[in-house]
């Protein structure tokens, strides 16, 4: 796919790309490149202390990035790939620059259920940092044209419909689950899986 090839070149060059996920359009950069991360923050007009999502395409790629518990693994295996961003304590790793997670001690991981993104990340060979495609405090872009109006030339649309419903964001500290944003996956669903992991 030409779009994938162009996006791959842009990521490797340290540029910001746009891409449709199964939830909303996002802005994406190499998660290991601090200059590219700074460009993404500048496009959004957003403070660098706010973390991005870290997108990957296999659990093996996500494994070294964060600290896993049995509950976290159970949730991951149940809901990924899909509309869940799971926040866990992060490990220092060359694939994930601290600026990508706002310099904090956690990282929000997501395995998108979008074939074109999985293809792109697999070809790139390491995680991608992502944030919704919009200026700070404005609604996410709902089309490729809106993403381009942010000044992003390379936009991967894929063939999958964008639902417009953002991913669920959940933070897991040991066995304690905190829902930060409810999207396509509910707190009750997450807690049910977490309980099953304890049994």
């Amino acid at each position: 796919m030409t779009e994938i090839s162009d996006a791959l070149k842009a990521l490797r060059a340290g540029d910001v790309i746009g891409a449709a996920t199964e939830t909303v359009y996002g802005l994406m950069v190499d998660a290991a490149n601090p200059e590219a991360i700074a460009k993404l923050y500048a496009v959004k007009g957003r403070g660098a202390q706010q973390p991005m999502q870290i997108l990957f395409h296999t659990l093996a790629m996500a494994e070294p990035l964060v600290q896993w518990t049995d509950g976290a693994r159970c949730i991951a295996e149940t809901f990924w790939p899909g509309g869940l961003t799971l926040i866990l304590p992060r490990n220092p790793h060359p694939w994930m620059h601290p600026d990508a997670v706002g310099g904090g001690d956690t990282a929000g991981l997501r395995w998108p259920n979008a074939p074109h993104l999985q293809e792109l990340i697999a070809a790139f060979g390491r995680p991608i940092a992502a944030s919704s495609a919009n200026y700070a405090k404005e609604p996410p872009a709902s089309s490729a044209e809106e993403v381009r109006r942010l000044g992003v030339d390379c936009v991967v649309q894929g063939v999958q419909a964008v639902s417009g419903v953002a991913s669920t964001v959940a933070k897991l500290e040991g066995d304690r689950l905190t829902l930060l944003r409810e999207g396509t996956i509910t707190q009750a669903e997450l807690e049910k899986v977490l309980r099953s992991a304890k049994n």
Side-chain angles (χ1 to χ4, degrees):
M1 182 184 287
T2 303
E3 285 183 335
I4 297 294
S5 176
D6 291 344
L8 194 56
K9 290 176 184 176
L11 286 172
R12 288 172 174 164
D15 293 332
V16 180
I17 68 165
T21 74
E22 75 275 25
T23 55
V24 297
Y25 276 84
L27 300 175
M28 302 176 188
V29 294
D30 178 358
N33 186 330
E35 289 80 15
I37 292 163
K39 287 182 185 178
L40 193 156
Y41 283 127
V43 169
K44 288 179 66 78
R46 166 174 157 169
Q49 74 280 3
Q50 298 186 48
M52 302 182 200
Q53 295 180 350
I54 306 299
L55 307 185
F56 57 93
H57 81 107
T58 63
L59 284 175
M61 184 179 282
E63 181 75 27
L65 303 179
V66 294
Q67 298 168 31
W68 295 89
T69 62
D70 289 343
R73 290 184 189 281
C74 196
I75 287 174
E77 290 166 0
T78 302
F79 296 105
W80 281 340
L84 172 68
T85 300
L86 185 60
I87 300 174
L88 297 168
R90 74 173 179 91
N91 291 325
H93 197 279
W95 282 348
M96 186 172 64
H97 193 276
D99 289 354
V101 293
D105 57 3
T106 60
L109 304 187
R110 186 157 102 81
W111 181 352
N113 189 21
H116 59 283
L117 276 185
Q118 292 178 7
E119 181 183 347
L120 175 62
I121 298 168
F124 191 57
R126 59 178 184 268
I128 293 173
S131 184
S132 56
N134 59 301
Y135 292 122
K137 300 183 180 179
E138 292 188 1
S142 58
S143 69
E145 290 71 27
E146 289 183 25
V147 178
R148 291 189 181 97
R149 284 199 286 270
L150 296 172
V152 176
D153 295 326
C154 181
V155 182
V156 183
Q157 292 181 258
V159 296
Q160 192 172 8
V162 175
S163 71
V165 180
S167 65
T168 293
V169 179
K171 185 175 184 179
L172 196 57
E173 300 170 280
D175 291 331
R176 186 163 67 89
L177 180 78
T178 303
L179 197 71
L180 303 181
R181 181 178 71 200
E182 186 168 303
T184 55
I185 299 165
T186 67
Q187 182 165 355
E189 290 174 308
L190 292 167
E191 289 179 342
K192 180 179 179 181
V193 172
L194 193 57
R195 285 195 300 272
S196 71
K198 299 176 184 178
N199 299 329

